[in-house]
Amino acid sequence: MLENKTQMLQEPTTRTMRHYFISEMLPVAIITAIVTLVSVAAARPSLNYLESHFSTENESEEVRSAAIKRLLEVFGMEDAPLLRGDKQPPQYMVDLYNTVADVDGVTKDPYILEGNTVRSFFDKLHSEQIEFLFNLSMVSRSEKVLTAELHLFKLRPQASATFNSYHFCQVSVYQLLDSSKMNITQGKKLLSSRLIPVHSTGWEVFTITQAVRSWMAVEGNNLGLLVTVQTLGGSQMDKKVVRFSSGRNHHKSKQPMLVLFTDDGRRAAALDNTVKDPNESPAVPGLPNLPNAPDFHRSTRSLDYDEDEEKMTCQRMPLYVDFEEIGWSGWIVSPRGYNAYHCKGSCPFPLGQNMRPTNHATVQSIINALKLTKGIETPCCVPDKLFSINLLYFDDDENVVLKQYDDMVAGSCGCH
């Protein structure tokens, strides 16, 4: 029995010879296409086929989930914030975003913004008194507090108010140290104080950096802020004359707000300096591999891509990132997407200055052209200038955050 099986393996049958002939004479792509068409026409979907189909869908979903998770890490988040509904961001934050970023979110000037993160917080107390409390639990302890500002909207005096001879008032902001002693000196700490015209209206900004740093150091220190309004003589000012908007009785656009400028200590991500084999399939660390497509499709695509690559020299190509397609449009205010660009093309010898080659790339190109050393490839087309982008979004506590992310846009490409 064993000898018969061995003989069958050693002596090719007519059917085997015919298959060998076709395989040698016709392109692999055509053979694969014929086999595929015949199998589809002759057979109903088998259990194995259905299992493979659903397996492919599951693996694709795994790839998507892993990719989204990795993208969130790039943006410094563990999970995407919950959908915000129809909430509107503070106009101050929108104006600040438009100051530092263009329509695509790309940073206009990296030195405009102090630090890389700006957050806005609304008052949680809604007190009838000029007293405020802000929840800073969304701020990481590792972030460096650079500047903190209290934004208050001053309303017009009521028509029935008696102005007397007052033209200015003294507005002071205190950090509460003991809520039971807020009316005495020991229960509060002065943070900021200045003169304000009695008849003025609009936003007034007070620096309260010391208080916020204290709150970040010890969470229990956050007992809130107290604002007092006095005449130049030190007496209490009539509340009908000098009024500030509160979150309870006035429009949301005029709510008291704390604006916090911080730096989270992130550094620009270093580019991968390892040169990959051009024949090697690109792999993303941490992502499961996609199921293998039929060989003839992969071979055809690779052949076409290589031909295009050879014809086209190194240049920058569009690569639009659409946040709506990713599923993030519910919590990102601006931009709706951005053009990250990517670099594509070959770096043929000799390298011209238009390819922005480094000296190292020039030497490598010469060595490759002269074939002086075995295994030396041509230089690679990669980004040689990277720009940052800005994201304006709602966090899980419905605070509006403006954050700057380094190395997100390929500004230009070169042979390296």
Side-chain angles (χ1 to χ4, degrees), residues 188-215:
K188 57 191 178 185
K189 177 183 177 181
L190 180 63
L191 299 172
S192 180
S193 182
R194 72 167 187 275
L195 297 178
I196 293 178
V198 170
H199 304 281
S200 67
T201 182
W203 287 101
E204 299 291 344
V205 180
F206 303 87
T207 301
I208 56 168
T209 309
Q210 292 181 15
V212 173
R213 284 176 178 166
S214 170
W215 298 341

Side-chain angles (χ1 to χ4, degrees), residues 2-275:
L2 183 59
E3 292 179 357
N4 292 338
K5 288 184 177 180
T6 303
Q7 185 176 8
M8 290 174 63
L9 290 172
Q10 292 175 344
E11 296 179 9
T13 62
T14 305
R15 183 178 180 182
T16 304
M17 291 297 292
R18 182 159 62 258
H19 176 74
Y20 174 80
F21 174 78
I22 296 175
S23 299
E24 288 296 314
M25 296 301 294
L26 295 178
V28 175
I30 298 177
I31 292 295
T32 311
I34 293 174
V35 171
T36 303
L37 289 172
V38 171
S39 62
V40 170
R44 293 178 302 173
S46 64
L47 181 60
N48 290 338
Y49 171 83
L50 294 175
E51 288 179 349
S52 174
H53 175 72
F54 288 118
S55 175
T56 299
E57 287 188 349
N58 291 336
E59 289 185 20
S60 297
E61 186 59 34
E62 288 179 10
V63 171
R64 176 179 171 81
S65 297
I68 295 297
K69 179 177 176 60
R70 183 68 186 94
L71 191 58
L72 283 168
E73 291 175 2
V74 170
F75 286 102
M77 305 176 190
E78 292 185 2
D79 299 297
L82 299 176
L83 299 182
R84 60 175 174 82
D86 295 326
K87 289 186 173 295
Q88 295 297 317
Q91 189 59 43
Y92 173 83
M93 297 298 289
V94 174
D95 292 341
L96 183 60
Y97 170 84
N98 290 331
T99 300
V100 301
D102 64 15
V103 292
D104 293 322
V106 179
T107 304
K108 295 177 182 177
D109 184 345
Y111 300 103
I112 294 178
L113 196 63
E114 185 179 11
N116 58 13
T117 308
V118 185
R119 289 185 176 87
S120 60
F121 304 87
F122 287 128
D123 172 43
K124 299 294 184 182
L125 206 56
H126 304 301
S127 171
E128 292 183 359
Q129 305 298 321
I130 316 180
E131 188 179 349
F132 309 102
L133 183 66
F134 301 95
N135 180 7
L136 306 183
S137 60
M138 297 301 293
V139 183
S140 171
R141 299 290 176 187
S142 61
E143 291 189 37
K144 181 181 180 181
V145 175
L146 302 175
T147 303
E149 299 173 343
L150 175 64
H151 291 223
L152 299 177
F153 190 86
K154 186 177 178 299
L155 302 168
R156 294 185 184 279
Q158 289 184 352
S160 60
T162 302
F163 295 106
N164 297 324
S165 59
Y166 298 123
H167 295 284
F168 289 90
C169 61
Q170 184 81 30
V171 178
S172 303
V173 180
Y174 294 88
Q175 175 187 355
L176 290 178
L177 304 176
D178 188 337
S179 55
S180 64
K181 301 177 181 179
M182 65 169 54
N183 293 324
I184 62 177
T185 305
Q186 290 81 358
K188 57 191 178 185
K189 177 183 177 181
L190 180 63
L191 299 172
S192 180
S193 182
R194 72 167 187 275
L195 297 178
I196 293 178
V198 170
H199 304 281
S200 67
T201 182
W203 287 101
E204 299 291 344
V205 180
F206 303 87
T207 301
I208 56 168
T209 309
Q210 292 181 15
V212 173
R213 284 176 178 166
S214 170
W215 298 341
M216 295 300 296
V218 181
E219 188 174 357
N221 287 347
N222 187 0
L223 300 178
L225 301 170
L226 177 68
V227 176
T228 63
V229 183
Q230 298 176 321
T231 65
L232 298 186
S235 60
Q236 193 70 25
M237 198 81 178
D238 185 354
K239 293 182 180 179
K240 293 181 180 180
V241 176
V242 178
R243 303 182 303 141
F244 290 100
S245 173
S246 67
R248 171 180 290 186
N249 302 320
H250 301 96
H251 194 272
K252 289 183 178 181
S253 65
K254 296 178 174 61
Q255 286 190 68
M257 181 172 62
L258 187 155
V259 178
L260 183 59
F261 295 80
T262 66
D263 195 300
D264 60 10
R266 286 181 293 108
R267 291 294 178 265
L271 292 174
D272 187 2
N273 57 7
T274 57
V275 179

